[in-house]
Amino acid sequence: EGWDRNEASLPQGVVKEEFFLDVANVGRFVGKGGSKIRSLQSQFNVSIFIFDEDETRKRVLVLGPNQEAVSGLCRASEIKRRVLPTDKESRKWLLWRSNVVDAIKKTCGLINIQVEDSEVIITGTPEACESGLKFLEAQIQYFQTLQKLESRKVEVMKQLGEGPELVWPLQFERTERRPRSTTPRAARTPRIWL
């Protein structure tokens, strides 16, 4: 109580740590109506103050009862950006499977997944980024396996003299949704869609 946070000295038993956030990530850090920052303060038993640093970033001051609490909050709040280099066909696959990419984002707690010209950019906490990278790498590996299987299928069909010739890369285009079935859900045969 009554402590000026700009002073150099702290009350006895109070630990201070600072970190910086890009302006674009402050809203995610604070949460809707301050919900996330209140939750973090409660979880780690700390006080959090945000100051303007410059046009591109904010300074976050964390005060807590011990170093463990303050460092825990800083680790939980750290925003990292990881880059996954990909080839053109893998990026097309990820864009076509946007529902899977959205599920990875939600499951891992990532802030964002961007599919760019030569890479996929993942933004989130260090733990969320590591999990997200593993999930995305698994999707790309799945795609590569699917390509090999499709190529083998084409070879077999050619040998048997059956079916049209399929050529990779397949075009991944969004199509219109199929009309809803009038058959009751319980009576339908289960289908697996790739």
Side-chain angles (χ1 to χ4, degrees):
E1 292 285 338
W3 172 70
D4 180 2
R5 60 184 163 258
N6 293 318
E7 289 180 5
S9 63
L10 294 171
Q12 190 173 6
V14 175
V15 178
K16 166 186 162 184
E17 195 162 325
E18 293 180 337
F19 63 94
F20 296 92
L21 280 177
D22 291 339
V23 171
N25 294 325
V26 171
R28 292 180 183 100
F29 176 70
V30 172
K32 188 174 183 177
S35 62
K36 187 167 180 195
I37 204 167
R38 281 193 302 274
S39 172
L40 288 169
Q41 289 180 126
S42 174
Q43 178 183 354
F44 291 99
N45 191 28
V46 296
S47 295
I48 303 170
F49 304 94
I50 301 175
F51 302 98
D52 289 328
E53 184 68 19
D54 56 42
E55 300 83 37
T56 61
R57 63 187 188 155
K58 302 271 187 178
R59 181 169 54 101
V60 179
L61 173 65
V62 182
L63 302 173
N66 55 50
Q67 189 62 46
E68 185 180 330
V70 172
S71 296
L73 174 107
C74 292
R75 275 192 311 276
S77 304
E78 188 178 12
I79 305 296
K80 290 286 186 186
R81 191 177 146 141
R82 297 288 306 269
V83 176
L84 176 65
T86 57
D87 61 52
K88 184 178 180 180
E89 294 307 314
S90 296
R91 285 189 304 281
K92 281 184 180 179
W93 170 255
L94 291 173
L95 287 170
W96 184 69
R97 308 249 319 162
S98 62
N99 59 331
V100 172
V101 172
D102 289 342
I104 291 170
K105 178 180 167 185
K106 185 176 180 178
T107 301
C108 297
L110 291 166
I111 293 171
N112 197 18
I113 299 177
Q114 289 175 269
V115 180
E116 297 290 333
D117 291 339
S118 61
E119 60 201 12
V120 178
I121 301 170
I122 302 168
T123 309
T125 63
E127 295 81 18
C129 285
E130 286 305 313
S131 297
L133 278 175
K134 288 177 184 174
F135 274 110
L136 286 170
E137 287 169 345
Q139 276 298 310
I140 290 170
Q141 189 175 22
Y142 170 70
F143 168 64
Q144 292 166 346
T145 302
L146 189 64
Q147 277 185 311
K148 289 175 188 173
L149 289 171
E150 187 66 28
S151 296
R152 181 67 183 131
K153 175 183 163 189
V154 169
E155 289 173 18
V156 169
M157 289 178 77
K158 281 182 185 177
Q159 289 173 357
L160 297 173
E162 297 177 8
E165 183 175 319
L166 299 176
V167 179
W168 274 98
L170 292 178
Q171 296 298 315
F172 300 110
E173 302 287 332
R174 290 259 180 221
T175 57
E176 291 187 30
R177 290 186 176 261
R178 297 177 185 186
R180 287 198 174 263
S181 173
T182 55
T183 309
R185 189 175 278 278
R188 287 187 221 154
T189 305
R191 295 181 187 174
I192 298 174
W193 299 98
L194 294 180

